[in-house]
Amino acid sequence: MPQDLSTELIHHPYRPPTGFEAPQPGIYKASTVIFPNVAAMRARDWRNKQGYTYGLHGTPTTFALEERIAALEGGRHCVLAPSGLAAIALVDQALLSHGDEVLLPDNVYGPSRELARTELARWGITHRHYDPLDAPGLAAMIGSRTRLVWLEAAGSVTMEFPDLAGLVAAARGHGVTTALDNTWGAGIAFSGFDAGIDIVMQALTKFPSGGGDVLMGSVTTRDETLHERLKLTHMHLGLGVAANDAELVLRSLSTVALRYHAQDAAGRQLAEWLAERPEVRRVLHPALSGSPGHEHWRTTCKAAAGLFSVMFDERFSAAQIDRFVDALRLFRIGYSWAGPMSLVVPYDLASMRSEAVCERHHLRGHLVRFSLGLEAVADLRADLEQALAAGLGALP
Ligand SMILES: Cc1ncc(COP(=O)(O)O)c(C=O)c1O
């Protein structure tokens, strides 16, 4: 059949030979997926990875990434979301209905708390916060309306490492599903599923991406029924990720363990150095003794993220601490972590946390969170030293 050039270029008959193999998987881009015939279209099934239905529901590229993330987490099934926060929202929306309650740790990732306070509340879903270091306290809070308990290890900003075994036992004892935000552990420091958790979510934006240039989240399960529930909601909400973003994460994933351990080593060196400084009252890093939950970290983890917070001596004002942060040159001011560049964020605990939990664990005042990039530790230490002098004054 003679064809116009435009038609020929769209329907070109050439098919490259099959059997191509390279270290990196191929990148497939599609909204439309072509079916060979009507019968195949009618028989389509989006539930498993045996075929393709529509770009939103999976391509060879996203399936490949899902399988690798499931392997990283030690789970069986994974779905991808456009950000870590979208992955958190997916879990909430898949599992919670009007009248249900969700329990969040007091040190939960801030936007997850806001999601519960605003959107979930609008849909008639209530939430309360528990002390992540108090498993009996969680057990006592669980009621007939509690459907989901979120866990975070270590928790955001104040870095308490929770009693995972105790918290999971408390939830299990009441038949309540548990979901872990495993962004900190990244599937490397410990296994959420071995700790008995039902759903493991991760912001792939952090360690798996590692470049500070992709936003993505994952939700992994071992349980078939939970996976189907999540997959259905995932489809209803139209969540999907772009092939180029999936490619970037696939590319970085092979080095995730190397980067995790390098940032861990650098983080511990600087955390230990800062802990000895006269300006510093306390360093919050789960691998440092004296940090809240250190004993739980010790019995659960093989490693730690390159992330810690510093509480400065009370003689320094908030303005002085801001001056210190502004004086840093290599640590740049910005959210997120696990990319190549070291980052710093000052926080005011009083505006973020329940007073009682902070009092119980002696967490007070203004603190500064540091996340380690991949710069040389000696350069980062020199940066901290000059900023301490510039922001907090000359030292004895
Ligand atoms: C613990 C934790 N969970 C989830 C997220 C959300 O990830 P994203 O930025 O991809 O939405 C973050 C981001 O900072 C985080 O720190």
Side-chain angles (χ1 to χ4, degrees):
M1 186 164 62
Q3 290 185 335
D4 178 88
L5 178 62
S6 308
T7 308
E8 191 189 343
L9 290 179
I10 295 166
H11 292 267
H12 199 282
Y14 177 75
R15 298 287 177 274
T18 56
F20 175 80
E21 190 154 358
Q24 286 298 329
I27 309 308
Y28 292 83
K29 300 181 183 185
S31 48
T32 299
V33 169
I34 294 170
F35 296 94
N37 52 48
V38 175
M41 177 179 247
R42 295 214 170 111
R44 72 191 183 281
D45 182 3
W46 53 267
R47 278 182 185 78
N48 56 47
K49 291 178 186 157
Q50 301 311 308
Y52 305 98
T53 57
Y54 187 58
L56 197 54
H57 309 316
T59 63
T61 310
T62 57
F63 284 173
L65 181 55
E66 285 172 353
E67 291 301 305
R68 290 181 192 199
I69 297 297
L72 177 71
E73 300 282 24
R76 300 233 316 268
H77 309 287
C78 171
V79 290
L80 301 173
S83 70
L85 184 55
I88 293 170
L90 168 64
V91 173
D92 286 339
Q93 285 174 294
L95 298 193
L96 299 169
S97 305
H98 188 275
D100 290 345
E101 177 187 63
V102 54
L103 299 179
L104 306 172
D106 198 61
N107 54 10
V108 71
Y109 172 58
S112 174
R113 173 195 298 261
E114 280 306 290
L115 172 66
R117 205 182 60 75
T118 55
E119 306 303 323
L120 298 189
R122 244 171 9 94
W123 303 327
I125 298 159
T126 59
H127 74 282
R128 283 182 292 159
H129 294 280
Y130 65 88
D131 179 344
L133 295 173
D134 182 9
L138 173 69
M141 279 174 79
I142 294 176
S144 60
R145 294 195 305 107
T146 312
R147 291 281 168 278
L148 176 64
V149 173
W150 271 104
L151 305 139
E152 207 174 306
S156 285
V157 182
T158 40
M159 314 297 305
E160 302 97 310
F161 201 94
D163 173 9
L164 279 180
L167 297 175
V168 169
R172 281 225 161 143
H174 290 81
V176 173
T177 304
T178 49
L180 169 74
D181 182 334
N182 201 22
T183 305
W184 180 93
I188 293 169
F190 67 99
S191 160
F193 290 110
D194 288 354
I197 288 150
D198 300 308
I199 298 173
V200 177
M201 164 266 149
Q202 194 179 147
L204 306 181
T205 307
K206 316 293 187 222
F207 286 105
S209 149
D213 53 359
V214 181
L215 288 152
M216 202 179 291
S218 61
V219 180
T220 306
T221 47
R222 278 185 178 171
D223 180 87
E224 211 71 48
T225 314
L226 269 179
H227 171 65
E228 280 238 347
R229 176 73 246 143
L230 287 155
K231 182 103 175 116
L232 194 63
T233 304
H234 185 266
M235 186 179 78
H236 291 156
L237 292 173
L239 299 180
V241 302
N244 292 80
D245 287 349
E247 174 197 10
L248 288 174
V249 180
L250 277 166
R251 187 173 160 158
S252 299
L253 206 55
S254 45
T255 57
V256 66
L258 292 173
R259 289 183 280 103
Y260 193 94
H261 292 302
Q263 290 176 334
D264 179 7
R268 288 197 220 192
Q269 281 181 55
L270 290 185
E272 281 162 10
W273 180 79
L274 277 163
E276 298 302 318
R277 293 286 306 197
E279 302 91 340
V280 171
R281 181 155 58 92
R282 196 174 182 197
V283 176
L284 305 171
H285 185 308
L288 262 60
S289 63
S291 198
H294 168 70
E295 285 307 311
H296 301 308
W297 174 84
R298 214 171 48 77
T299 53
T300 311
C301 291
K302 302 190 290 269
L307 198 68
F308 60 86
S309 292
V310 169
M311 301 173 73
F312 286 92
D313 191 283
E314 271 152 329
R315 82 190 121 115
F316 298 115
S317 66
Q320 279 176 297
I321 292 168
D322 286 355
R323 256 204 325 268
F324 157 72
V325 173
D326 280 336
L328 288 162
R329 292 289 164 260
L330 297 179
F331 283 93
R332 304 300 300 270
I333 303 168
Y335 292 107
S336 206
W337 25 286
M341 183 183 283
S342 293
L343 297 172
V344 60
V345 181
Y347 289 95
D348 172 21
L349 273 188
S351 64
M352 302 164 54
R353 289 294 163 72
S354 100
E355 213 178 303
V357 174
C358 285
E359 270 309 305
R360 199 171 312 140
H361 305 301
H362 315 291
L363 303 169
R364 274 189 297 277
H366 296 267
L367 59 74
V368 177
R369 187 188 69 183
F370 296 89
S371 70
L372 270 292
L374 293 166
E375 303 94 333
V377 176
D379 291 337
L380 294 173
R381 190 188 305 130
D383 189 32
L384 290 168
E385 206 156 19
Q386 66 78 22
L388 286 169
L392 306 183
L395 288 165

